Amino acid sequence: MFAIGTFSQFSAVSIRTLRHYDDIGLFRPVHVDPATGYRFYAAAQLAELNRIVILKELGFTLAEITRMTESEISGEQMLGMLRLRQSQAEQRHGEESRRLAMVAVRISLLERTTDMPDIHSNPVVVKPLPAMRLAVTSEGVDGFDVDFSPVFQRLFPRLFGELGRLGINPTGPTVALYDERPDGRVDVLAAVPVPEDAELDSGDVSIRVLAPAPRAATIIHHGPMTTLKESYGQLMTWMQAAELSPTSYSREIYLDMNGDPSTWVTELQFVLA
Amino acid sequence: MFAIGTFSQFSAVSIRTLRHYDDIGLFRPVHVDPATGYRFYAAAQLAELNRIVILKELGFTLAEITRMTESEISGEQMLGMLRLRQSQAEQRHGEESRRLAMVAVRISLLERTTDMPDIHSNPVVVKPLPAMRLAVTSEGVDGFDVDFSPVFQRLFPRLFGELGRLGINPTGPTVALYDERPDGRVDVLAAVPVPEDAELDSGDVSIRVLAPAPRAATIIHHGPMTTLKESYGQLMTWMQAAELSPTSYSREIYLDMNGDPSTWVTELQFVLA
DNA sequence: TTGCTCCTCACGTCACGTGAGGTGGC
DNA sequence: TTGCTCCTCACGTCACGTGAGGTGGC
């Protein structure tokens, strides 16, 4: 029999870990001196400890290993658990790969423009978008090269006028979206979230429900709408570097339009595949 | 200004997390109602929160991010931290890859022999070996096909006789090792650990110091020496499956030779590259 | 008055590492 | 008697999730 220090050396498992395994009932010494509490291990226990070490290296938790050793497991069952572990490990491996790729993207963006920390100048975040129930009104335009302000100056009064007439209160910030049309033109939509029970379809203004999006690339734009294209540029530069592409045109969420336009806050969103 | 629930929705960061960031001083609301303790966030704060989210996704800890945001960091510094992160992430990625490979090895070993759970029948552990100071005596043989018992029956009495004569007490279990010789023959060494200050060089018995090995493949053998080759077989099967190769011949550590040979416990070791 | 949102503790997570403070045997 | 080994608490780790129990405003 070996005292804990010797057994720790032979097994390359720390004394603290051996005590921990004793505490949680995973692996106990063959003998404990009742007077001193000293733990004593038999050489033959090394094989049992080694099985635990192996299972741990494969990524099983101590709770799982405890269950495995308590109820003797068949080869088939072990195979099943290993396959489960394999898929979990593959998932974590994939996450690590993506993280690594993102670090590389940030490095390459920064190397291009060493004048400013890119994370400050290019804070693109990928996040899920919740579903939204919107009241919308729209107008077709020829493309993205036109000035949208006159369009919105027609759309928003129409939208809010109709909502006011119906006594419907917006439940969130104003939104602009852009849609492809079958004829190749672009639909400009002015919209605002409305309650679940709000119904309307007055021809010009109707309800549209946006499905939740699991992943969207987003950036916060500060300042007036006239400088929006700079933020769009950053967002698209980032998407190119990250090799991600949008599934549709953008959405603009006007989070803060109080006070001077130089203090406005807008979120630009591209839903990703 | 937004209450915490609204801000949580817009940012896709949980309420609990926002409170946590407030607690640790990483990200505070622009305003807290003194009467109720309600937190209020400004739209413009979304950009700041997004930077934190990005840094977290890149794998930085909250403590690191706190330092980064407290002391405004230059592009160069950020590049340096990103490169450091990259190497850390590569390391973790490598570990995940190895773990994945090990799971695959276990699965393939199990698929070959579904009659028994391989981890029970093949508990090979890779671990570091500590340095050892040994008293050794040796003898050359023609190869591994011979019966070693007569050799050991000459070597061990010689070894322990000499140690007894010098009054040197072993500090660990008996060891056998095998060495290549320049002439192609094999050196069989019988050895035992001795204290740091023990000196001896009597021709037949001398001191040899084994360097610590960072990685060795090991297996516990139960029973008499006559069945050692079965355990060697398992160990070598595992090394083949794991695509690992030893740098030298094996070592045998006789951990328990008390009582009947059927209860003996021996560890077989192959130092890995 | 009833929901809704928000609040502050405070425990739990996972597998030990790391002191603190103390005790038998050579 | 002095080191050495071993012992038992018990806090700390990391970033929150998850109740418990309670409070203002519509």
Side-chain angles (χ1 to χ4, degrees):
Chain A
M1 292 203 301
F2 303 113
I4 197 167
T6 316
F7 196 70
S8 166
Q9 282 181 23
F10 287 148
S11 61
V13 170
S14 78
I15 292 177
R16 178 60 173 98
T17 297
L18 289 171
R19 291 203 188 110
H20 183 58
Y21 291 172
D22 186 7
D23 287 346
I24 65 173
L26 171 57
F27 177 72
R28 315 214 109 123
V30 276
H31 176 247
V32 177
D33 186 311
T36 64
Y38 275 36
R39 296 168 177 83
F40 293 95
Y41 297 87
Q45 288 190 280
L46 268 176
E48 193 187 343
L49 181 56
N50 280 352
R51 277 192 5 237
I52 293 170
V53 167
I54 290 165
L55 261 5
K56 206 157 60 79
E57 279 169 0
L58 294 179
F60 292 103
T61 67
L62 294 189
E64 288 168 332
I65 298 173
T66 305
R67 263 176 270 135
M68 288 182 191
T69 50
E70 272 175 358
S71 61
E72 276 307 312
I73 235 166
S74 76
E76 287 302 323
Q77 287 176 302
M78 181 58 82
L79 243 183
M81 308 200 68
L82 280 171
R83 293 226 170 87
L84 186 60
R85 263 276 63 218
Q86 189 173 39
S87 74
Q88 291 170 350
E90 273 162 2
Q91 196 156 333
R92 291 203 34 178
H93 187 251
E95 282 165 25
E96 277 298 316
S97 297
R98 278 191 293 280
R99 185 194 302 278
L100 209 44
M102 277 303 141
V103 174
V105 163
R106 289 292 166 184
I107 286 176
S108 85
L109 284 176
L110 238 185
E111 279 171 342
R112 262 183 249 172
T113 61
T114 41
D115 50 332
M116 271 190 78
D118 80 315
I119 285 158
H120 297 171
S121 68
N122 198 341
V124 174
V125 160
V126 174
K127 63 181 180 187
L129 301 181
M132 274 205 276
R133 179 184 173 81
L134 299 173
V136 297
T137 185
S138 67
E139 197 169 298
V141 299
D142 284 334
F144 282 101
D145 290 333
V146 302
D147 179 11
F148 290 121
S149 30
V151 181
F152 283 123
Q153 272 162 34
R154 284 191 294 276
L155 291 177
F156 280 117
R158 191 198 295 166
L159 174 67
F160 287 111
E162 181 69 11
L163 291 180
R165 206 167 307 129
L166 294 169
I168 296 175
N169 286 320
T171 58
T174 306
V175 175
L177 12 175
Y178 306 89
D179 246 9
E180 241 171 321
R181 293 220 304 206
D183 61 5
R185 300 182 77 213
V186 174
D187 250 351
V188 177
L189 293 85
V192 76
V194 291
E196 280 296 323
D197 55 3
E199 294 291 348
L200 87 170
D201 191 359
S202 62
D204 276 349
V205 180
S206 58
I207 293 290
R208 171 179 309 208
V209 176
L210 295 185
R215 279 152 44 83
T218 71
I219 194 168
I220 298 294
H221 171 75
H222 288 276
M225 326 267 273
T226 50
T227 58
L228 266 184
K229 52 189 168 313
E230 292 170 24
S231 294
Y232 269 116
Q234 290 178 353
L235 188 45
M236 295 172 81
T237 300
W238 182 90
M239 283 196 290
Q240 268 190 0
E243 295 179 6
L244 294 169
S245 44
T247 62
S248 64
Y249 292 141
S250 69
R251 303 179 189 172
E252 296 166 5
I253 317 288
Y254 302 110
L255 293 167
D256 186 355
M257 294 201 306
N258 302 313
D260 191 83
S262 69
T263 69
W264 288 5
V265 178
T266 311
E267 183 172 74
L268 312 183
Q269 307 176 334
F270 278 107
V271 174
L272 299 173
Chain B
M1 291 203 302
F2 303 113
I4 197 167
T6 317
F7 196 70
S8 165
Q9 282 181 25
F10 288 148
S11 60
V13 169
S14 79
I15 292 177
R16 178 62 174 95
T17 297
L18 289 171
R19 291 203 188 111
H20 183 57
Y21 291 174
D22 186 7
D23 286 346
I24 64 173
L26 172 56
F27 177 71
R28 315 213 108 123
V30 276
H31 177 245
V32 177
D33 186 310
T36 64
Y38 275 36
R39 295 168 177 84
F40 292 96
Y41 296 87
Q45 289 191 278
L46 269 176
E48 192 188 344
L49 181 56
N50 279 352
R51 277 191 5 236
I52 293 170
V53 168
I54 292 165
L55 261 5
K56 205 157 60 79
E57 279 170 359
L58 295 179
F60 291 103
T61 67
L62 295 190
E64 287 168 332
I65 298 173
T66 306
R67 264 176 267 135
M68 288 182 191
T69 50
E70 274 175 357
S71 61
E72 276 307 313
I73 235 164
S74 76
E76 287 302 323
Q77 286 175 303
M78 181 59 81
L79 244 183
M81 307 199 69
L82 280 171
R83 294 226 170 87
L84 186 58
R85 263 276 64 216
Q86 188 173 38
S87 74
Q88 291 171 350
E90 274 163 0
Q91 197 156 333
R92 290 205 33 180
H93 187 252
E95 282 166 25
E96 277 298 315
S97 298
R98 277 191 293 279
R99 184 194 303 278
L100 209 45
M102 277 303 141
V103 174
V105 163
R106 289 291 166 184
I107 286 177
S108 84
L109 284 176
L110 237 184
E111 280 171 342
R112 262 184 248 173
T113 60
T114 41
D115 51 333
M116 271 189 78
D118 80 314
I119 285 158
H120 297 172
S121 68
N122 199 339
V124 174
V125 160
V126 174
K127 63 182 181 186
L129 301 181
M132 274 204 277
R133 180 184 173 81
L134 299 173
V136 298
T137 185
S138 67
E139 195 170 297
V141 298
D142 285 334
F144 282 101
D145 291 334
V146 301
D147 179 10
F148 289 122
S149 31
V151 180
F152 284 123
Q153 272 163 36
R154 283 190 294 276
L155 291 177
F156 280 117
R158 193 198 294 165
L159 174 66
F160 287 110
E162 180 69 11
L163 290 180
R165 210 166 307 127
L166 295 170
I168 296 174
N169 286 319
T171 58
T174 305
V175 175
L177 14 174
Y178 306 88
D179 246 9
E180 240 171 322
R181 293 220 305 204
D183 62 4
R185 300 183 77 214
V186 174
D187 251 351
V188 177
L189 293 85
V192 76
V194 292
E196 279 297 322
D197 55 3
E199 293 292 346
L200 86 171
D201 191 359
S202 62
D204 276 349
V205 181
S206 57
I207 294 290
R208 169 179 311 207
V209 176
L210 294 186
R215 279 154 44 85
T218 69
I219 195 169
I220 298 293
H221 171 77
H222 289 275
M225 325 268 275
T226 50
T227 58
L228 266 184
K229 54 188 166 312
E230 292 170 25
S231 294
Y232 269 116
Q234 291 180 352
L235 188 46
M236 294 172 82
T237 300
W238 182 89
M239 283 195 289
Q240 267 189 1
E243 295 177 6
L244 293 169
S245 45
T247 61
S248 63
Y249 291 140
S250 69
R251 304 179 189 172
E252 296 166 4
I253 317 287
Y254 302 110
L255 293 166
D256 187 355
M257 294 202 304
N258 304 314
D260 192 85
S262 69
T263 70
W264 288 6
V265 177
T266 311
E267 182 172 74
L268 312 183
Q269 306 175 335
F270 278 106
V271 175
L272 298 173

